[in-house]
Amino acid sequence: MKLYAAPLNFRDIAREFNVPTEFTAQQHEAAQGLTDSLLHTRRDARDIEFVTIDPPGSMDLDQAVCIERSASGYTVHYAIADVAAFVEGTDNPVRAESLKRGQTIYLPDEPARLHPPELSEGSASLLPDVDRPAVLWTFQLDSSGEVTDTFVERALVRSRARFDYDEVQEGMDRGVVHASISLLAEVGTLRQESSLRREAINLRLPSVRVVETGEGRFELVIEPRHPVMDYNSEISLLTGMAAGQMMVQAGKGFLRTLSPATNGAEKEFRQEMRNLGFSIGGEPVGEFLARVNADTPRGMAVMREAQKLLRGAGYINLEDKEPEVHAGIGGYYSHVTAPLRRLIDRYATEVCLAICAGTEPPAWVAEGANQVVKTMGRTSQLANTVDRACLNLTEATVLKPWVGQNFQAAVLKTEEEHDASRIFVIDPPVLAPCLGQPEEGVETSVSLVRASVAEREVTFAWPAD
């Protein structure tokens, strides 16, 4: 979950988990001097009218998109920042540091970035009205949104505009959007229907804003998740699936993997959903999630609980292991669309470029393969740990002034052996442990008995005082 909590300080969490938040002067200087080393290899694609869509204020722009109608369906042009052209080929402090960091760690107040801003928000970012090196994916889709052809190459691109989700959604609601994304909702919807056919599990986690109400008190406010966010995500998912399929067919590259949820985990999830008041029946989980309104407190709880079905994600090098699918995607999948924020994207992208060109990947891909997979595994676990710590700190801070007060909660699960339960507090929207065993599936009153900011823990009790 992404939290925007300007009044809170998450630097202690960064220090506790050794998350590097700064770059050295040498790294800043090196990033400033990096240039595109592969300019001579690029197709001139500046005639394609790309635009970017990102959260408000974002400057590290990995992706730019342009969608056109074709005789048989659609042509999707997708430009990805070509980070490898800047950092690979020579030893430099930026490359060395990225091999350690692995990925951007998203602390709510300020990200701990993978690359210095001179690169990630400057020369490698797909900012508008400037020429930028990119890896250009071109997809042909049929009328149902399924991929019929894929091509990837290096190109020189020029974005026409930088949009944020709010303004694009407002434009869509009014029926006025930039021509390059006028088909985004149409294609995005078709791809969502494709994901249901694959029985994919698509989580739509809403953002939660922390609002200070005065006298040292805060509240959690769920921010609407615009449909355009999901349409835009579908283009990235499409690219990752095409890349994964390409690499599996070639027998080389890097996959993002996830084993299917166990029968026990899915059974528990379905029971929790019934306890939250949802009718789930025997339908596929992906279909159930698609019809849940994630902008409501209970909908947010659904998406957070569904995360338990997607545990155990990892990365594999196809040179060492047999292909494995990503159960959440419903097929082979690779990370190739966020190289400014993830290390492995530039390695997997390089393999796809070589496959499409009929050549071998450069030596640095094979030389760094094992290190990259290990780094991504380690830092993905770190990112999850930090995310949980930030969420727990925020909830404890928000609830601390209310110790002793009663709240309405839905009972998700009881544990007789521990005389405890797991509940969902409706306002503020919090999933938390509870002492006592109220009946599963009921909505009841509970008391907040503990909210420790230092230990980042909250506890409720039933029956309420």
Side-chain angles (χ1 to χ4, degrees):
M1 174 181 294
K2 293 183 179 178
L3 291 165
Y4 303 93
L8 300 173
N9 185 345
F10 296 89
R11 296 299 96 182
D12 287 344
I13 291 177
R15 286 189 287 271
E16 178 181 342
F17 295 104
N18 296 316
V19 178
T21 58
E22 305 291 339
F23 291 95
T24 66
Q26 182 187 28
Q27 289 161 353
H28 281 292
E29 183 180 356
Q32 185 69 47
L34 294 174
T35 59
D36 176 16
S37 64
L38 300 170
L39 180 61
H40 64 285
T41 69
R42 300 187 183 282
R43 165 194 166 188
D44 188 344
R46 288 175 291 182
D47 59 316
I48 301 175
E49 296 197 355
F50 285 107
V51 299
T52 59
I53 312 173
D54 291 274
S58 295
M59 294 293 288
D60 53 340
L61 310 182
D62 283 292
Q63 310 113 8
V65 64
C66 176
I67 305 175
E68 301 169 331
R69 201 176 295 279
S70 67
S72 58
Y74 310 88
T75 300
V76 177
H77 305 282
Y78 204 39
I80 306 299
D82 192 355
V83 178
F86 289 88
V87 303
E88 296 294 350
T90 61
D91 290 329
N92 61 78
V94 176
R95 178 180 183 275
E97 185 65 14
S98 72
L99 290 171
K100 298 175 185 176
R101 296 194 180 204
Q103 59 188 290
T104 296
I105 304 293
Y106 284 96
L107 294 150
D109 48 0
E110 184 179 357
R113 301 192 183 280
L114 175 62
H115 303 104
E118 291 84 357
L119 182 72
S120 62
E121 299 184 347
S123 56
S125 178
L126 302 183
L127 298 167
D129 301 319
V130 289
D131 294 346
R132 283 291 186 262
V135 174
L136 175 57
W137 293 82
T138 304
F139 302 101
Q140 299 301 328
L141 310 184
D142 63 20
S143 58
S144 64
E146 299 295 346
V147 178
T148 60
D149 189 60
T150 300
F151 191 75
V152 59
E153 61 190 321
R154 283 195 153 91
L156 189 67
V157 303
R158 188 179 183 90
S159 172
R160 302 305 198 269
R162 175 168 67 100
F163 296 120
D164 63 47
Y165 290 116
D166 292 339
E167 59 186 323
V168 174
Q169 188 62 57
E170 181 183 353
M172 285 185 172
D173 293 342
R174 293 188 293 110
V176 181
V177 295
H178 192 282
S180 297
I181 50 174
S182 62
L183 296 172
L184 179 59
E186 188 173 325
V187 171
T189 299
L190 291 173
R191 293 302 304 171
Q192 288 173 335
E193 293 169 356
S194 175
S195 74
L196 293 179
R197 291 193 291 270
R198 299 190 309 271
E199 297 191 2
I201 297 177
N202 182 20
L203 299 185
R204 292 169 288 115
L205 284 166
S207 298
V208 176
R209 184 177 295 277
V210 181
V211 178
E212 188 168 8
T213 60
E215 299 180 356
R217 295 186 175 187
F218 306 90
E219 64 177 335
L220 298 177
V221 178
I222 299 175
E223 294 193 328
R225 181 174 176 87
H226 296 312
V228 68
M229 296 178 179
D230 299 316
Y231 301 147
N232 200 41
S233 293
E234 287 295 336
I235 307 302
S236 179
L237 291 172
L238 179 158
T239 308
M241 290 186 68
Q245 188 65 42
M246 182 185 296
M247 287 188 281
V248 168
Q249 290 176 351
K252 55 187 174 184
F254 305 88
L255 295 183
R256 178 66 162 164
T257 63
L258 178 68
S259 299
T262 65
N263 290 336
E266 184 170 331
K267 181 179 179 181
E268 181 177 320
F269 172 77
R270 289 178 182 274
Q271 184 58 53
E272 287 186 348
M273 295 307 98
R274 288 188 282 271
N275 291 342
L276 273 173
F278 290 93
S279 174
I280 184 170
E283 67 185 308
V285 171
E287 289 185 12
F288 165 70
L289 294 176
R291 63 179 175 82
V292 170
N293 181 0
D295 292 341
T296 65
R298 290 178 188 269
M300 183 204 73
V302 169
M303 297 302 162
R304 281 183 56 188
E305 289 299 276
Q307 288 180 297
K308 294 189 293 187
L309 300 175
L310 302 179
R311 288 175 175 168
Y315 294 92
I316 62 171
N317 178 5
L318 288 173
E319 299 283 355
D320 299 328
K321 294 188 177 182
E322 291 297 312
E324 296 178 24
V325 300
H326 189 292
I329 302 296
Y332 296 120
Y333 184 65
S334 182
H335 275 155
V336 293
T337 63
L340 291 174
R341 290 167 277 175
R342 282 190 306 252
L343 171 65
I344 201 163
D345 293 52
R346 72 176 185 247
Y347 281 74
T349 294
E350 208 66 38
V351 175
C352 292
L353 285 164
I355 293 170
C356 214
T359 61
E360 288 298 315
W364 57 263
V365 174
E367 291 168 357
N370 290 334
Q371 179 182 356
V372 167
V373 170
K374 290 179 181 178
T375 297
M376 292 305 302
R378 172 179 56 81
T379 58
S380 293
Q381 184 176 12
L382 173 63
N384 290 334
T385 300
V386 169
D387 192 53
R388 286 194 300 271
C390 291
L391 176 60
N392 292 343
L393 172 63
T394 302
E395 291 178 345
T397 302
V398 168
L399 288 168
K400 184 178 180 180
W402 301 100
V403 171
Q405 299 295 312
N406 293 343
F407 295 82
Q408 286 298 111
V411 183
L412 299 182
K413 184 180 180 181
T414 59
E415 299 177 356
E416 294 184 9
E417 64 274 22
H418 298 115
D419 190 26
S421 54
R422 179 170 169 77
I423 61 172
F424 171 63
V425 178
I426 299 165
D427 186 17
V430 173
L431 290 158
C434 179
L435 305 176
Q437 298 178 52
E439 182 182 353
E440 285 189 5
V442 304
E443 186 172 307
T444 187
S445 182
V446 296
S447 293
L448 177 65
V449 295
R450 183 168 180 265
S452 171
V453 174
E455 296 182 31
R456 302 190 291 267
E457 292 180 352
V458 299
T459 305
F460 292 82
W462 178 89
D465 293 334

